[in-house]
Amino acid sequence: LEGLCRQFGQFVIGKLAEAALRTSEARTRSIVDTMIDGIITFDSAGIVEWVNPAVTTIFQHHSTALMGMSIGDLIPELDQRPERAEKVEDLDLSQRCILEVRWEATGVREDGSSFPVELGISELRQTGDRVLTVIVRDITERREVDQLKNEFISTVSHELRTPLTSIRGSLGLLDGGVTGELPAPAKQMVDIALSNCERLIRLINDILDIEKIAMGRMVFELRPLELISLVRQQLQSNQSYAEQLGVSFVLEEIVPDAWVRADGDRVAQVFTNLLSNAAKFSPKGSTVSIQVLGAERNRVRVSVTDQGPGIPEKFRSRIFNRFAQADSSDSKAKGGTGLGLSISKTMIERMAGTIGFDTEMGKGSTFWFELPATLPVKPVHREEGSWVAAEREVQTRILVCEDDADISTMLQMLFESDGFVVDVAPSGRAARELLRSGPYDVMTLDLRLPDEDGIALLRDIRDEEDTREMPVIVVSARARSDEKSLIEGEALVLSDWLDKPIDPQRLLAAVRRSAGWEKSGKPRVLHVEDEPSVSAMVQLLLQDECEVVAVATMEEALVRMDLEQYDLLILDVALPDGNGLDLVPEVKRLTGKHIPVLVFSGRELDSRLAQTVSASLVKTETSNDELKNLVRRLTRQSRSVPDLTS
């Protein structure tokens, strides 16, 4: 009896287990059958073995027609060979064999039309067989939403940035007194409007930066960066904002020769955000201290310390989240989007750095970021008087090739006092090395060099494509008649020839002429912009220095360049009749010159397109002074280049 009971109990347990298994299988089958994602299994030959109902909807095939189809019929990207894969083993799934890793591909429907899909792939090996399971999601709707979002971002970028540029520029001109001194009440109103315009611009820029970060489109150009110079420059740029709040910036402690590997524009954006936050939350009459110090693990730390109220405990854990703001009424009164610190954190981390803060209630806060240190890039003396040039901004650059130390020092001081950037080469070898390092606008050349004949150097300069058109002024002791004859006979074009002893004013005038600084008449600028308010603002901004011709379309620009000569082209990208960048290849053909092209648009150019033009500026991220100074430098460069049609 006991044995029978045991057997009966085992029988009942088995039946219950079978019932539970059937229930579980039915539940699983129901889940699989009602999934919106398709599931396909392929056998070891790459042939469809099983599909769930969603696959028939996604690929618009009947389930029976799907059986026996190959892997390449449905998802061509999974077929890695020119002919269709016969074996699943032939597929390279090294990056796709983990289910959690999803990637995008193209699916093919029964009618031959294609559509975007997202795939999750896993494999199962049993008794030597390999079964491939592919989860398919139709992302057509997502792509359409992304397209709508991109169009919206483009609209924000152009339709908001463009009018804001004209508003801010016009207000800045009024505030600067271009129309005369304003009465006190009017100036107060202009200051209020300008302040709120800047606030709106920061909001738009933050939103666009968040979008670029989310889409992986924010470009970082990492290179050696002198941190101290950047910090001092940004302190000066933000000083007026601090003064409005009754706060002062103090650079307390620095480490000399602090060089990091980073993107200068992004570091400046992060540092500016920390400065503005510190000034905003500091009491009136207090100071914000800045330090640049060495840190552990070969890093450099920049810290900004305020004397504000400190950060509440409950807010500290989410301070770097998007739209994060403290709940106190005092914080809300300060304004802001809550995006700045989130953007700063992403930027610093993308540059292999770290960012953080230290705070104490009632005693203030210190925000800091650290970046990887690197070796400095600046002029260093090498053997035989060789020099290496530092990276510089776009400025008018002169190379002085002179072996006499006293004369070279005098020339360097003379040119630098007039606004030129000067590099000195004490030998022919040093001059060649510097010429390879980057373009120069003018060169002065002593024919008596310690290591070679100056005429041989001049001959090589005219043979090289990069330096063929560079103006060269000979500054040498009285030349022998055979030297002048040799130069004239070989048609080695010179801009001028000055004998020693040097007349500084005559030399300076010759250099200015060669650099295009003293060309008769104002520089002529062609501005291609379809927004009349921006055209008017730019024309008013540049009226004292340039003759600006404004056109609204590419067609008008082509006609103008064909009929008239210009020293600079300022270009918007989004034009009514096409992409403004399509004008760039036409510039040399129509003008006969390598005139500079400045893109002044509502959106940031990617690094590849930026290399095709002389410079690019984003409208709402550029002040009047920045635009004016860059136009001044580019027109000077343009006027130093000979006319290729003459």
Side-chain angles (χ1 to χ4, degrees):
L1 180 60
E2 183 180 350
L4 289 173
C5 289
R6 188 181 299 111
Q7 291 177 6
F8 179 74
Q10 292 173 349
F11 173 77
V12 171
I13 292 172
K15 289 297 183 179
L16 291 173
E18 289 177 6
L21 181 59
R22 284 195 298 271
T23 302
S24 177
E25 289 176 346
R27 185 182 298 112
T28 302
R29 188 179 304 109
S30 177
I31 293 172
V32 171
D33 288 347
T34 56
M35 285 180 65
I36 61 171
D37 291 338
I39 304 176
I40 312 173
T41 60
F42 297 94
D43 63 18
S44 58
I47 304 300
V48 175
E49 187 176 65
W50 176 86
V51 298
N52 72 335
V55 174
T56 63
T57 303
I58 292 173
F59 288 90
Q60 297 180 1
H61 276 285
H62 193 274
S63 58
T64 56
L66 288 166
M67 297 300 109
M69 295 183 69
S70 76
I71 197 169
D73 290 329
L74 299 175
I75 309 168
E77 281 93 336
L78 290 181
D79 188 349
Q80 299 294 305
R81 302 183 304 171
E83 66 278 4
R84 288 181 177 177
E86 297 295 334
K87 296 288 185 182
V88 177
E89 284 84 347
D90 293 331
L91 301 177
D92 179 15
L93 299 173
S94 58
Q95 302 300 322
R96 311 174 192 157
C97 59
I98 303 174
L99 189 59
E100 287 77 9
V101 176
R102 304 186 72 88
W103 59 289
E104 294 185 4
T106 302
V108 179
R109 299 189 181 97
E110 184 179 19
D111 60 3
S113 62
S114 60
F115 62 102
V117 295
E118 186 180 66
L119 306 178
I121 302 176
S122 64
E123 62 175 319
L124 176 65
R125 294 181 182 270
Q126 288 182 335
T127 63
D129 291 332
R130 186 184 186 205
V131 178
L132 194 69
T133 301
V134 179
I135 299 179
V136 184
R137 173 172 294 177
D138 186 346
I139 58 172
T140 302
E141 186 176 346
R142 184 199 301 174
R143 286 283 181 86
E144 292 173 351
V145 171
D146 286 343
Q147 179 64 27
L148 290 173
K149 183 174 65 174
N150 291 337
E151 291 174 358
F152 171 74
I153 294 298
S154 178
T155 299
V156 170
S157 181
H158 185 266
E159 300 301 330
L160 285 181
R161 274 180 160 173
T162 296
L164 277 173
T165 299
S166 60
I167 293 170
R168 181 175 69 173
S170 301
L171 290 171
L173 289 170
L174 287 173
D175 190 53
V178 71
T179 60
E181 187 175 353
L182 295 175
K187 190 175 189 313
Q188 184 179 9
M189 293 298 101
V190 168
D191 289 341
I192 292 173
L194 190 57
S195 174
N196 282 278
C197 182
E198 294 288 352
R199 181 179 175 184
L200 183 56
I201 286 172
R202 286 194 296 271
L203 170 62
I204 292 172
N205 289 339
D206 283 350
I207 292 173
L208 293 173
D209 281 342
I210 283 289
E211 176 62 20
K212 282 191 289 186
I213 290 170
M215 299 296 291
R217 293 176 181 169
M218 181 166 282
V219 178
F220 289 81
E221 296 183 3
L222 304 182
R223 60 185 63 184
L225 172 69
E226 187 182 13
L227 205 51
I228 302 301
S229 296
L230 182 144
V231 166
R232 287 197 171 106
Q233 180 182 0
Q234 294 306 309
L235 286 176
Q236 184 177 2
S237 300
N238 289 276
Q239 190 63 44
S240 60
Y241 177 72
E243 289 172 357
Q244 292 174 17
L245 299 174
V247 177
S248 59
F249 294 139
V250 178
L251 184 57
E252 286 191 343
E253 192 173 355
I254 61 172
V255 58
D257 293 328
W259 285 75
V260 296
R261 182 168 179 78
D263 184 313
D265 291 338
R266 308 304 182 195
V267 175
Q269 186 174 345
V270 172
F271 185 55
T272 296
N273 182 67
L274 298 186
L275 287 177
S276 63
N277 282 349
K280 189 163 56 175
F281 288 98
S282 291
K284 204 166 188 177
S286 65
T287 60
V288 173
S289 62
I290 295 90
Q291 295 182 327
V292 182
L293 301 171
E296 297 178 353
R297 305 187 309 279
N298 196 29
R299 295 192 165 208
V300 178
R301 171 180 286 208
V302 178
S303 62
V304 179
T305 303
D306 62 51
Q307 298 178 24
I311 302 168
E313 180 72 34
K314 61 180 180 180
F315 179 59
R316 296 174 188 177
S317 61
R318 53 190 179 90
I319 194 169
F320 289 108
N321 294 348
R322 293 184 187 180
F323 304 105
Q325 289 182 311
D327 294 330
S328 67
S329 58
D330 179 65
S331 295
K332 288 184 179 291
K334 302 298 183 180
T337 63
L339 291 172
L341 288 177
S342 174
I343 294 172
S344 297
K345 184 175 187 294
T346 301
M347 287 182 174
I348 292 296
E349 290 176 349
R350 287 284 299 275
M351 293 184 286
T354 54
I355 187 170
F357 66 94
D358 303 300
T359 186
E360 186 174 351
M361 293 302 295
K363 294 188 177 180
S365 305
T366 297
F367 279 84
W368 52 265
F369 61 86
E370 295 178 356
L371 291 167
T374 189
L375 296 175
V377 179
K378 54 170 82 170
V380 292
H381 195 65
R382 290 186 177 178
E383 58 181 2
E384 299 182 11
S386 171
W387 293 76
V388 176
E391 294 185 6
R392 300 186 187 273
E393 296 180 358
V394 179
Q395 295 176 322
T396 305
R397 302 179 64 197
I398 298 180
L399 176 59
V400 174
C401 186
E402 171 63 62
D403 65 321
D404 187 293
D406 292 336
I407 294 177
S408 64
T409 300
M410 183 271 292
L411 292 178
Q412 185 171 8
M413 294 175 63
L414 174 68
F415 296 143
E416 287 181 344
S417 66
D418 204 44
F420 292 92
V421 174
V422 185
D423 286 326
V424 177
S427 65
R429 178 181 174 184
R432 294 175 191 276
E433 190 171 338
L434 282 167
L435 288 170
R436 285 193 297 269
S437 72
Y440 287 88
D441 302 287
V442 186
M443 177 180 179
T444 67
L445 175 63
D446 185 2
L447 296 182
R448 305 284 191 271
L449 298 175
D451 57 345
E452 66 174 299
D453 183 5
I455 295 178
L457 175 60
L458 179 60
R459 187 183 295 118
D460 290 343
I461 287 172
R462 293 301 178 225
D463 286 341
E464 291 291 332
E465 182 177 355
D466 292 340
T467 57
R468 185 174 298 150
E469 298 171 354
M470 179 183 66
V472 177
I473 300 172
V474 168
V475 180
S476 189
R478 189 170 300 276
R480 303 189 307 269
S481 59
D482 60 325
E483 288 179 325
K484 286 194 173 183
S485 300
L486 184 60
I487 290 175
E488 294 170 358
E490 295 189 26
L492 300 176
V493 180
L494 293 175
S495 296
D496 209 335
W497 185 305
L498 283 80
D499 292 324
K500 295 178 180 178
I502 301 167
D503 180 344
Q505 295 308 313
R506 184 186 169 196
L507 174 60
L508 199 56
V511 170
R512 285 173 174 172
R513 284 195 303 272
S514 299
W517 289 23
E518 294 186 354
K519 195 171 181 178
S520 60
K522 292 181 180 180
R524 303 192 74 237
V525 176
L526 180 62
H527 185 200
V528 190
E529 169 63 65
D530 63 323
E531 176 59 46
S533 61
V534 175
S535 296
M537 184 274 293
V538 170
Q539 194 153 19
L540 187 61
L541 178 67
L542 302 178
Q543 63 181 354
D544 293 336
E545 300 191 18
C546 303
E547 178 188 344
V548 181
V549 177
V551 296
T553 65
M554 294 173 60
E555 183 179 0
E556 292 177 89
L558 289 170
V559 172
R560 285 283 190 170
M561 286 191 292
D562 191 32
L563 297 175
E564 303 168 350
Q565 290 293 318
Y566 295 94
D567 299 295
L568 173 66
L569 176 64
I570 302 178
L571 187 63
D572 190 10
V573 173
L575 295 171
D577 53 347
N579 188 326
L581 290 174
D582 292 338
L583 286 173
V584 176
E586 299 295 314
V587 172
K588 181 183 175 183
R589 181 181 68 82
L590 292 173
T591 65
K593 292 178 61 177
H594 295 283
I595 72 168
V597 177
L598 166 61
V599 171
F600 186 49
S601 187
R603 65 190 68 174
E604 184 178 350
L605 293 184
D606 63 41
S607 56
R608 179 182 60 83
L609 292 176
Q611 293 175 359
T612 65
V613 297
S614 305
S616 63
L617 297 173
V618 179
K619 286 179 177 176
T620 56
E621 297 177 4
T622 306
S623 68
N624 288 355
D625 287 341
E626 288 171 332
L627 177 60
K628 193 172 182 178
N629 291 336
L630 184 55
V631 167
R632 183 184 295 123
R633 290 198 297 267
L634 291 176
T635 52
R636 285 174 177 174
Q637 281 186 337
S638 176
R639 289 189 151 206
S640 68
V641 177
D643 190 337
L644 302 180
T645 60
S646 60

